[in-house]
Amino acid sequence: QVQLVESGGGLVQAGGSLRLSCASSGGTFNGYAMGWFRQAPGKEREFVAAINWTGRSTSYKDSVKGRFTISRDNTKNTVTLQMNSLKPEDTAVYYCAAGANPSVDEKAFNFWGQGTQVTVSS
C-alpha cells in the first residue's frame, strides 16, 4: 500500500514562491505516475500537474504553465511541485497522488496524500 505525505505548504504573498514535496513509502515509487491536484473552498478538486514514472513526460493545467514545475527523484521516492509567481487564485489544499498512468482525471490515481494548505495573499 502506497502512502503519500505532502509538505511545504504555507502562507505567501502574491508573486512569491513555494515548493511542495510529496514523500512516498510502502510501494514501488518508480512504478507510478504522480500527480498534483488542488481543491479550493467551495470548488471541486482539479488537476494541476502530472509526471510519468521516468520523469521525462509532464503535463500541466493551462493556468499554471510557465509558473509551476513538477519533478521527481526516484532515488528519494519524492515528487516536487515548484510554484512561482503565485496568485491568490492558487489558494487551495494541494494533494499528491499516485497512479498507473499520468492523467488529468483524478480517477486514474489510486493513492492520495492528506493534502497541504497553500494560501496566497493579495
PDB file of all heavy atoms in Angstrom, residues 1 9 13 17 22-23 26-27 29 36 39 45 49-50 52 55 59 62 66 73-74 83 91 97 111 115 119:
ATOM      1  N   GLN A   1       0.842  -1.184   0.000  1.00  0.00           N
ATOM      2  CA  GLN A   1       0.000   0.000   0.000  1.00  0.00           C
ATOM      3  C   GLN A   1       0.886   1.246   0.000  1.00  0.00           C
ATOM      4  O   GLN A   1       1.722   1.419   0.871  1.00  0.00           O
ATOM      5  CB  GLN A   1      -0.909   0.008   1.241  1.00  0.00           C
ATOM      6  CG  GLN A   1      -1.919   1.108   1.281  1.00  0.00           C
ATOM      7  CD  GLN A   1      -3.120   0.805   0.420  1.00  0.00           C
ATOM      8  OE1 GLN A   1      -3.174  -0.227  -0.256  1.00  0.00           O
ATOM      9  NE2 GLN A   1      -4.088   1.706   0.403  1.00  0.00           N
ATOM     10  N   GLY A   9       3.538  23.411   2.276  1.00  0.00           N
ATOM     11  CA  GLY A   9       2.510  24.431   2.126  1.00  0.00           C
ATOM     12  C   GLY A   9       2.707  25.571   3.113  1.00  0.00           C
ATOM     13  O   GLY A   9       3.554  25.508   4.000  1.00  0.00           O
ATOM     14  N   GLN A  13       2.815  35.740  -0.054  1.00  0.00           N
ATOM     15  CA  GLN A  13       2.227  36.877  -0.765  1.00  0.00           C
ATOM     16  C   GLN A  13       2.187  36.610  -2.266  1.00  0.00           C
ATOM     17  O   GLN A  13       2.992  35.835  -2.790  1.00  0.00           O
ATOM     18  CB  GLN A  13       3.032  38.147  -0.485  1.00  0.00           C
ATOM     19  CG  GLN A  13       2.874  38.679   0.925  1.00  0.00           C
ATOM     20  CD  GLN A  13       3.528  40.038   1.107  1.00  0.00           C
ATOM     21  OE1 GLN A  13       4.483  40.378   0.405  1.00  0.00           O
ATOM     22  NE2 GLN A  13       3.015  40.817   2.045  1.00  0.00           N
ATOM     23  N   SER A  17       6.888  32.419  -4.000  1.00  0.00           N
ATOM     24  CA  SER A  17       7.109  31.029  -4.400  1.00  0.00           C
ATOM     25  C   SER A  17       6.947  30.089  -3.220  1.00  0.00           C
ATOM     26  O   SER A  17       7.182  30.461  -2.073  1.00  0.00           O
ATOM     27  CB  SER A  17       8.518  30.862  -4.976  1.00  0.00           C
ATOM     28  OG  SER A  17       8.710  31.652  -6.130  1.00  0.00           O
ATOM     29  N   CYS A  22       6.315  15.712  -1.849  1.00  0.00           N
ATOM     30  CA  CYS A  22       5.477  14.555  -1.520  1.00  0.00           C
ATOM     31  C   CYS A  22       6.406  13.358  -1.367  1.00  0.00           C
ATOM     32  O   CYS A  22       7.102  12.987  -2.319  1.00  0.00           O
ATOM     33  CB  CYS A  22       4.458  14.324  -2.608  1.00  0.00           C
ATOM     34  SG  CYS A  22       3.457  12.836  -2.422  1.00  0.00           S
ATOM     35  N   ALA A  23       6.413  12.790  -0.188  1.00  0.00           N
ATOM     36  CA  ALA A  23       7.232  11.624   0.089  1.00  0.00           C
ATOM     37  C   ALA A  23       6.383  10.367   0.012  1.00  0.00           C
ATOM     38  O   ALA A  23       5.301  10.308   0.597  1.00  0.00           O
ATOM     39  CB  ALA A  23       7.867  11.754   1.463  1.00  0.00           C
ATOM     40  N   GLY A  26       6.057   2.557   1.067  1.00  0.00           N
ATOM     41  CA  GLY A  26       5.178   1.396   1.035  1.00  0.00           C
ATOM     42  C   GLY A  26       4.893   0.832  -0.338  1.00  0.00           C
ATOM     43  O   GLY A  26       4.031  -0.020  -0.483  1.00  0.00           O
ATOM     44  N   GLY A  27       5.559   1.295  -1.365  1.00  0.00           N
ATOM     45  CA  GLY A  27       5.324   0.776  -2.705  1.00  0.00           C
ATOM     46  C   GLY A  27       6.531   0.995  -3.583  1.00  0.00           C
ATOM     47  O   GLY A  27       7.560   1.486  -3.126  1.00  0.00           O
ATOM     48  N   PHE A  29       7.936   3.175  -5.933  1.00  0.00           N
ATOM     49  CA  PHE A  29       7.675   4.543  -6.360  1.00  0.00           C
ATOM     50  C   PHE A  29       7.879   4.725  -7.853  1.00  0.00           C
ATOM     51  O   PHE A  29       7.061   5.360  -8.519  1.00  0.00           O
ATOM     52  CB  PHE A  29       8.582   5.499  -5.579  1.00  0.00           C
ATOM     53  CG  PHE A  29       8.391   6.945  -5.928  1.00  0.00           C
ATOM     54  CD1 PHE A  29       7.252   7.630  -5.507  1.00  0.00           C
ATOM     55  CD2 PHE A  29       9.341   7.633  -6.675  1.00  0.00           C
ATOM     56  CE1 PHE A  29       7.071   8.966  -5.826  1.00  0.00           C
ATOM     57  CE2 PHE A  29       9.170   8.970  -6.988  1.00  0.00           C
ATOM     58  CZ  PHE A  29       8.030   9.637  -6.568  1.00  0.00           C
ATOM     59  N   TRP A  36      -0.316  16.136  -9.028  1.00  0.00           N
ATOM     60  CA  TRP A  36      -0.729  17.112  -8.029  1.00  0.00           C
ATOM     61  C   TRP A  36      -2.109  17.634  -8.424  1.00  0.00           C
ATOM     62  O   TRP A  36      -2.339  17.986  -9.587  1.00  0.00           O
ATOM     63  CB  TRP A  36       0.248  18.283  -7.950  1.00  0.00           C
ATOM     64  CG  TRP A  36       1.540  17.972  -7.285  1.00  0.00           C
ATOM     65  CD1 TRP A  36       2.709  17.603  -7.875  1.00  0.00           C
ATOM     66  CD2 TRP A  36       1.796  17.979  -5.871  1.00  0.00           C
ATOM     67  NE1 TRP A  36       3.678  17.391  -6.926  1.00  0.00           N
ATOM     68  CE2 TRP A  36       3.154  17.630  -5.679  1.00  0.00           C
ATOM     69  CE3 TRP A  36       1.030  18.272  -4.738  1.00  0.00           C
ATOM     70  CZ2 TRP A  36       3.742  17.540  -4.420  1.00  0.00           C
ATOM     71  CZ3 TRP A  36       1.612  18.196  -3.488  1.00  0.00           C
ATOM     72  CH2 TRP A  36       2.960  17.825  -3.341  1.00  0.00           C
ATOM     73  N   GLN A  39      -7.764  21.679  -4.342  1.00  0.00           N
ATOM     74  CA  GLN A  39      -9.177  21.948  -4.095  1.00  0.00           C
ATOM     75  C   GLN A  39      -9.309  23.234  -3.311  1.00  0.00           C
ATOM     76  O   GLN A  39      -8.826  23.335  -2.175  1.00  0.00           O
ATOM     77  CB  GLN A  39      -9.831  20.791  -3.331  1.00  0.00           C
ATOM     78  CG  GLN A  39     -11.332  20.951  -3.186  1.00  0.00           C
ATOM     79  CD  GLN A  39     -12.003  19.679  -2.710  1.00  0.00           C
ATOM     80  OE1 GLN A  39     -11.376  18.807  -2.109  1.00  0.00           O
ATOM     81  NE2 GLN A  39     -13.288  19.547  -2.993  1.00  0.00           N
ATOM     82  N   ARG A  45     -12.206  19.376  -6.660  1.00  0.00           N
ATOM     83  CA  ARG A  45     -10.779  19.147  -6.796  1.00  0.00           C
ATOM     84  C   ARG A  45     -10.411  19.174  -8.283  1.00  0.00           C
ATOM     85  O   ARG A  45     -11.145  18.643  -9.117  1.00  0.00           O
ATOM     86  CB  ARG A  45     -10.393  17.811  -6.152  1.00  0.00           C
ATOM     87  CG  ARG A  45      -8.901  17.600  -6.049  1.00  0.00           C
ATOM     88  CD  ARG A  45      -8.568  16.575  -4.980  1.00  0.00           C
ATOM     89  NE  ARG A  45      -9.213  15.287  -5.185  1.00  0.00           N
ATOM     90  CZ  ARG A  45      -9.138  14.293  -4.300  1.00  0.00           C
ATOM     91  NH1 ARG A  45      -8.487  14.450  -3.173  1.00  0.00           N
ATOM     92  NH2 ARG A  45      -9.743  13.153  -4.566  1.00  0.00           N
ATOM     93  N   ALA A  49      -0.895  19.204 -12.119  1.00  0.00           N
ATOM     94  CA  ALA A  49       0.268  18.746 -12.881  1.00  0.00           C
ATOM     95  C   ALA A  49       0.425  17.246 -12.701  1.00  0.00           C
ATOM     96  O   ALA A  49      -0.018  16.678 -11.700  1.00  0.00           O
ATOM     97  CB  ALA A  49       1.531  19.467 -12.433  1.00  0.00           C
ATOM     98  N   ALA A  50       1.081  16.618 -13.681  1.00  0.00           N
ATOM     99  CA  ALA A  50       1.351  15.188 -13.587  1.00  0.00           C
ATOM    100  C   ALA A  50       2.688  14.892 -14.239  1.00  0.00           C
ATOM    101  O   ALA A  50       3.161  15.644 -15.099  1.00  0.00           O
ATOM    102  CB  ALA A  50       0.234  14.378 -14.249  1.00  0.00           C
ATOM    103  N   ASN A  52       5.189  11.339 -15.557  1.00  0.00           N
ATOM    104  CA  ASN A  52       5.204   9.887 -15.728  1.00  0.00           C
ATOM    105  C   ASN A  52       6.310   9.279 -14.871  1.00  0.00           C
ATOM    106  O   ASN A  52       7.054   9.976 -14.175  1.00  0.00           O
ATOM    107  CB  ASN A  52       5.354   9.521 -17.200  1.00  0.00           C
ATOM    108  CG  ASN A  52       6.763   9.737 -17.734  1.00  0.00           C
ATOM    109  OD1 ASN A  52       7.525  10.547 -17.196  1.00  0.00           O
ATOM    110  ND2 ASN A  52       7.095   9.026 -18.783  1.00  0.00           N
ATOM    111  N   GLY A  55       9.859  10.540 -15.378  1.00  0.00           N
ATOM    112  CA  GLY A  55      10.086  11.965 -15.180  1.00  0.00           C
ATOM    113  C   GLY A  55      10.281  12.724 -16.466  1.00  0.00           C
ATOM    114  O   GLY A  55      10.442  13.954 -16.449  1.00  0.00           O
ATOM    115  N   SER A  59       2.744  17.165 -17.652  1.00  0.00           N
ATOM    116  CA  SER A  59       1.591  17.905 -18.158  1.00  0.00           C
ATOM    117  C   SER A  59       1.109  18.858 -17.072  1.00  0.00           C
ATOM    118  O   SER A  59       1.318  18.601 -15.879  1.00  0.00           O
ATOM    119  CB  SER A  59       0.462  16.964 -18.597  1.00  0.00           C
ATOM    120  OG  SER A  59       0.066  16.136 -17.528  1.00  0.00           O
ATOM    121  N   ASP A  62      -3.551  24.577 -17.710  1.00  0.00           N
ATOM    122  CA  ASP A  62      -3.161  25.734 -18.505  1.00  0.00           C
ATOM    123  C   ASP A  62      -2.793  26.946 -17.656  1.00  0.00           C
ATOM    124  O   ASP A  62      -1.823  27.660 -17.940  1.00  0.00           O
ATOM    125  CB  ASP A  62      -4.295  26.113 -19.469  1.00  0.00           C
ATOM    126  CG  ASP A  62      -4.379  25.186 -20.665  1.00  0.00           C
ATOM    127  OD1 ASP A  62      -3.435  24.405 -20.885  1.00  0.00           O
ATOM    128  OD2 ASP A  62      -5.400  25.233 -21.381  1.00  0.00           O
ATOM    129  N   GLY A  66       4.210  27.504 -17.101  1.00  0.00           N
ATOM    130  CA  GLY A  66       5.192  28.578 -17.026  1.00  0.00           C
ATOM    131  C   GLY A  66       5.449  29.088 -15.621  1.00  0.00           C
ATOM    132  O   GLY A  66       6.400  29.835 -15.396  1.00  0.00           O
ATOM    133  N   ASP A  73      12.217  12.534  -7.970  1.00  0.00           N
ATOM    134  CA  ASP A  73      13.506  11.913  -7.702  1.00  0.00           C
ATOM    135  C   ASP A  73      13.221  10.479  -7.291  1.00  0.00           C
ATOM    136  O   ASP A  73      12.818  10.220  -6.154  1.00  0.00           O
ATOM    137  CB  ASP A  73      14.235  12.674  -6.601  1.00  0.00           C
ATOM    138  CG  ASP A  73      15.651  12.158  -6.377  1.00  0.00           C
ATOM    139  OD1 ASP A  73      15.923  10.997  -6.726  1.00  0.00           O
ATOM    140  OD2 ASP A  73      16.467  12.918  -5.835  1.00  0.00           O
ATOM    141  N   ASN A  74      13.424   9.553  -8.214  1.00  0.00           N
ATOM    142  CA  ASN A  74      13.107   8.154  -7.941  1.00  0.00           C
ATOM    143  C   ASN A  74      14.092   7.509  -6.965  1.00  0.00           C
ATOM    144  O   ASN A  74      13.821   6.430  -6.446  1.00  0.00           O
ATOM    145  CB  ASN A  74      13.045   7.364  -9.243  1.00  0.00           C
ATOM    146  CG  ASN A  74      11.812   7.697 -10.066  1.00  0.00           C
ATOM    147  OD1 ASN A  74      10.842   8.256  -9.553  1.00  0.00           O
ATOM    148  ND2 ASN A  74      11.838   7.363 -11.342  1.00  0.00           N
ATOM    149  N   MET A  83       6.353  26.096  -7.233  1.00  0.00           N
ATOM    150  CA  MET A  83       5.321  27.050  -7.616  1.00  0.00           C
ATOM    151  C   MET A  83       5.891  28.460  -7.521  1.00  0.00           C
ATOM    152  O   MET A  83       6.261  28.909  -6.433  1.00  0.00           O
ATOM    153  CB  MET A  83       4.096  26.902  -6.709  1.00  0.00           C
ATOM    154  CG  MET A  83       3.546  25.486  -6.661  1.00  0.00           C
ATOM    155  SD  MET A  83       2.003  25.361  -5.736  1.00  0.00           S
ATOM    156  CE  MET A  83       2.557  25.800  -4.108  1.00  0.00           C
ATOM    157  N   THR A  91      -4.729  29.679  -4.257  1.00  0.00           N
ATOM    158  CA  THR A  91      -5.048  29.250  -2.891  1.00  0.00           C
ATOM    159  C   THR A  91      -5.928  28.007  -2.902  1.00  0.00           C
ATOM    160  O   THR A  91      -6.972  27.983  -3.549  1.00  0.00           O
ATOM    161  CB  THR A  91      -5.759  30.382  -2.132  1.00  0.00           C
ATOM    162  OG1 THR A  91      -4.856  31.484  -1.980  1.00  0.00           O
ATOM    163  CG2 THR A  91      -6.224  29.909  -0.756  1.00  0.00           C
ATOM    164  N   ALA A  97      -0.799  12.576  -5.573  1.00  0.00           N
ATOM    165  CA  ALA A  97      -1.480  11.330  -5.899  1.00  0.00           C
ATOM    166  C   ALA A  97      -0.578  10.435  -6.740  1.00  0.00           C
ATOM    167  O   ALA A  97       0.272  10.922  -7.492  1.00  0.00           O
ATOM    168  CB  ALA A  97      -2.777  11.618  -6.647  1.00  0.00           C
ATOM    169  N   PHE A 111      -3.852   6.348  -5.117  1.00  0.00           N
ATOM    170  CA  PHE A 111      -3.354   6.663  -3.778  1.00  0.00           C
ATOM    171  C   PHE A 111      -3.220   8.170  -3.635  1.00  0.00           C
ATOM    172  O   PHE A 111      -2.753   8.850  -4.550  1.00  0.00           O
ATOM    173  CB  PHE A 111      -1.999   5.980  -3.542  1.00  0.00           C
ATOM    174  CG  PHE A 111      -2.027   4.506  -3.767  1.00  0.00           C
ATOM    175  CD1 PHE A 111      -1.526   3.948  -4.930  1.00  0.00           C
ATOM    176  CD2 PHE A 111      -2.575   3.655  -2.804  1.00  0.00           C
ATOM    177  CE1 PHE A 111      -1.562   2.594  -5.152  1.00  0.00           C
ATOM    178  CE2 PHE A 111      -2.611   2.292  -3.011  1.00  0.00           C
ATOM    179  CZ  PHE A 111      -2.112   1.756  -4.185  1.00  0.00           C
ATOM    180  N   GLY A 115      -3.019  16.086   1.951  1.00  0.00           N
ATOM    181  CA  GLY A 115      -3.125  17.455   1.476  1.00  0.00           C
ATOM    182  C   GLY A 115      -2.322  18.440   2.312  1.00  0.00           C
ATOM    183  O   GLY A 115      -2.055  18.211   3.494  1.00  0.00           O
ATOM    184  N   THR A 119      -1.865  29.112   0.827  1.00  0.00           N
ATOM    185  CA  THR A 119      -2.648  30.344   0.860  1.00  0.00           C
ATOM    186  C   THR A 119      -1.810  31.475   0.286  1.00  0.00           C
ATOM    187  O   THR A 119      -0.700  31.723   0.749  1.00  0.00           O
ATOM    188  CB  THR A 119      -3.081  30.695   2.287  1.00  0.00           C
ATOM    189  OG1 THR A 119      -3.821  29.596   2.840  1.00  0.00           O
ATOM    190  CG2 THR A 119      -3.950  31.939   2.299  1.00  0.00           C
TER     191      THR A 119
END
